[in-house]
Amino acid sequence: MADNQKKLVVLTGAGISAESGISTFRDSGGLWEKHRVEDVASPSGFARDPRLVWRFYKARYLQSLEVEPNPGHYALVQIEEQLGGRFTLVTQNVDGLHYRAGSQRVFEMHGRLRTAFCTACNTKKDMSELDLELDIPICPNCRAAMRPDIVWFGEIPYYMYEIESALKDCSVLMVIGTSGAVYPAAGFVMTAKYMGARTICVNLDRPDNMIFVDEFHKGKAGEILPNLVEPLLNSLA
Ligand code: OAD
């Protein structure tokens, strides 16, 4: 691919899945109103009470199987079909809805609900291969405790090298449905802007990192994104 071709990076957060019926974290009624982050999303929380942590993620996994992608997810599939390798999709979401919508390549930087890995031998397994009746699913390989394949607070997100490379090389970064509260993802819009990219945000409310946003589309991702596909593709032609 010629290096002067225009490239798009998209970062999504919980807001893009809200219209599929999945709770966000920080909105009113969000997950972090009902659960303490340090209890269910940290290595120390898991060490203290693995049963509680597993209850939380099993419920989220089972819920993710029941919901469907929405027009916001499908708009991103359409963009990937047109741009191919000029498009990079990064998500903080662990629900797998981008893949289920048909996206081919997704950097799930905070992990995924549909897999777990062994705390002793690192064997990775699909959740469908584990006995979820157990309070703490065990490794089929070595019988140690499995843990959810989620990047918890204090852990390093996945694919950081690939994401940083794409950010440095993109002409447009679009962030969708994320509050801009959790780093390193919250810093992507600043990195891309300083590297010369145009930054677009689609969100219900102004995100915390609004200062780095060039173009703000206020509203629901599932309503706004389908109308943005064409102008966006034209601007990247
Ligand atoms: P948040 O809950 O922090 O933010 C969701 C954002 O989506 C808010 O700014 C909402 O205004 C917006 N929103 C809600 N519904 C929307 C819709 N239909 N269309 C567009 N925008 C909408 O979720 P994230 O920013 O994704 O990490 O949270 C980042 C990380 O914090 C998560 O990945 C998770 C959490 O702690 C871990 O669990 C490791």
Side-chain angles (χ1 to χ4, degrees), residues 46 48-56 58 135-136:
F46 184 67
R48 211 167 33 244
D49 192 347
R51 283 173 182 79
L52 169 77
V53 173
W54 263 114
R55 261 202 311 280
F56 178 71
K58 272 191 251 179
D135 288 350
I136 304 171

Side-chain angles (χ1 to χ4, degrees), residues 203-215:
N203 216 60
L204 265 190
D205 309 304
R206 294 163 71 87
D208 293 358
N209 49 14
M210 184 67 191
I211 187 174
F212 302 108
V213 172
D214 295 324
E215 193 181 311

Side-chain angles (χ1 to χ4, degrees), residues 31-51:
L31 280 177
W32 293 158
E33 261 181 16
K34 298 179 193 124
H35 306 270
R36 283 158 37 110
V37 177
E38 55 274 37
D39 286 344
V40 295
S42 75
S44 55
F46 184 67
R48 211 167 33 244
D49 192 347
R51 283 173 182 79

Side-chain angles (χ1 to χ4, degrees), residues 14-15 19 25-26 32 92 110 151 153 177-179 203-205 221:
E19 288 154 81
F25 295 95
R26 292 172 185 79
W32 293 158
Q92 299 164 89
H110 287 171
V151 177
F153 285 91
T178 176
S179 57
N203 216 60
L204 265 190
D205 309 304

